[in-house]
Amino acid sequence: MKFDLVIQGPLNQTSLSGIDDISNQFENVIVSYWSENDESLLEMVKSKNVFFVHQPTPDLNKTVGVMKDSTFFYSISSTNKGVIECVSPFIIKMRSDELYENFDSLKSLLISDDSKFVFGNIFAKPWSHSHYHIGDHLFACGRSNLNKTYETLFDIYTGKLDINQNLWAIHGSPAHQTAESILAKAFLKTKGVPEDIWPRRQTL
């Protein structure tokens, strides 16, 4: 099975210094960063299967329904930009300020059921603490599902879709949900999982 890796966020030596060591685990590595970043950092990357995409840092004042002290839309925007460039059927996403050396566990779990969203549990919270607080730092997903999930969230927060009709408030209003739970529910919604089973832990 072929995987692409999306590294999203501001250019950071943490991930850039390790890309050459991990790039052989992927068909392509897409680094999605901000146009204002110091591009001299890219010189440390030598691998031929690493590609770079960038865009200006989003203006949160032009977004709809985004908490202005939250970095969630930055993550949505940079991840969406990277996912669009992917061509392999599966994608692993990680943040630019982190580095992981081996992705075999994520890959094997996703391949065993490629309809799922598989996330690292380091930053996840138990169901009793917060429903659908997934780990959004590192995760794996089928490309088509992930593309649709991020496209939907991007369109909601940029006003292309009605936020009141398209943010999912099974456990309270969107303003009182974590970014992680909104991402998880966006995945469920775009996959067509019936909302009446969202309150069940088994759905997670």
Side-chain angles (χ1 to χ4, degrees):
M1 296 291 188
K2 294 182 178 181
F3 281 80
D4 286 346
L5 173 67
V6 171
I7 301 175
Q8 61 82 208
L11 292 177
N12 191 298
Q13 288 189 1
T14 299
S15 55
L16 292 174
S17 63
I19 285 181
D20 289 339
D21 294 329
I22 65 174
S23 61
N24 62 349
Q25 299 180 55
F26 300 94
E27 296 299 310
N28 305 287
V29 177
I30 312 296
V31 179
S32 178
Y33 65 97
W34 308 125
S35 305
E36 300 86 353
N37 294 165
D38 179 6
E39 292 184 324
S40 67
L41 294 171
L42 301 178
E43 296 175 4
M44 67 179 70
V45 179
K46 306 301 181 185
S47 298
K48 301 299 184 183
N49 65 331
V50 179
F51 304 94
F52 305 98
V53 295
H54 61 86
Q55 61 185 312
T57 303
D59 182 355
L60 296 186
N61 291 319
K62 296 181 179 179
T63 58
V64 178
V66 173
M67 296 178 64
K68 301 306 187 271
D69 60 349
S70 169
T71 61
F72 185 36
F73 184 74
Y74 293 140
S75 176
I76 291 172
S77 185
S78 60
T79 302
N80 184 55
K81 184 80 169 179
V83 168
I84 289 171
E85 299 299 323
C86 291
V87 295
S88 294
F90 302 106
I91 296 173
I92 291 178
K93 175 267 184 188
M94 77 176 199
R95 292 179 14 161
S96 61
D97 59 347
E98 298 174 353
L99 181 65
Y100 303 89
E101 296 180 351
N102 189 301
F103 300 86
D104 289 348
S105 295
L106 279 176
K107 289 180 177 181
S108 61
L109 283 169
L110 182 59
I111 290 171
S112 68
D113 186 346
D114 62 12
S115 68
K116 292 189 175 181
F117 183 108
V118 181
F119 55 87
N121 62 7
I122 301 172
F123 302 102
K125 302 292 185 185
W127 184 263
S128 58
H129 177 276
S130 177
H131 292 189
Y132 291 103
H133 192 300
I134 62 174
D136 68 343
H137 288 226
L138 179 71
F139 56 75
C141 186
R143 178 169 58 88
S144 59
N145 287 332
L146 198 62
N147 195 337
K148 189 174 181 181
T149 296
Y150 272 93
E151 179 183 45
T152 299
L153 284 171
F154 185 82
D155 286 351
I156 288 171
Y157 287 122
T158 54
K160 296 177 182 177
L161 293 175
D162 186 331
I163 191 170
N164 294 315
Q165 294 182 13
N166 291 284
L167 271 184
W168 309 284
I170 298 300
H171 303 296
S173 69
H176 295 92
Q177 295 185 66
T178 65
E180 294 85 354
S181 68
I182 292 173
L183 174 59
K185 292 174 184 179
F187 176 75
L188 295 179
K189 185 71 173 181
T190 55
K191 276 181 58 66
V193 176
E195 292 185 23
D196 62 345
I197 67 169
W198 288 13
R200 304 175 190 171
R201 188 183 184 282
Q202 293 87 339
T203 306
L204 172 64

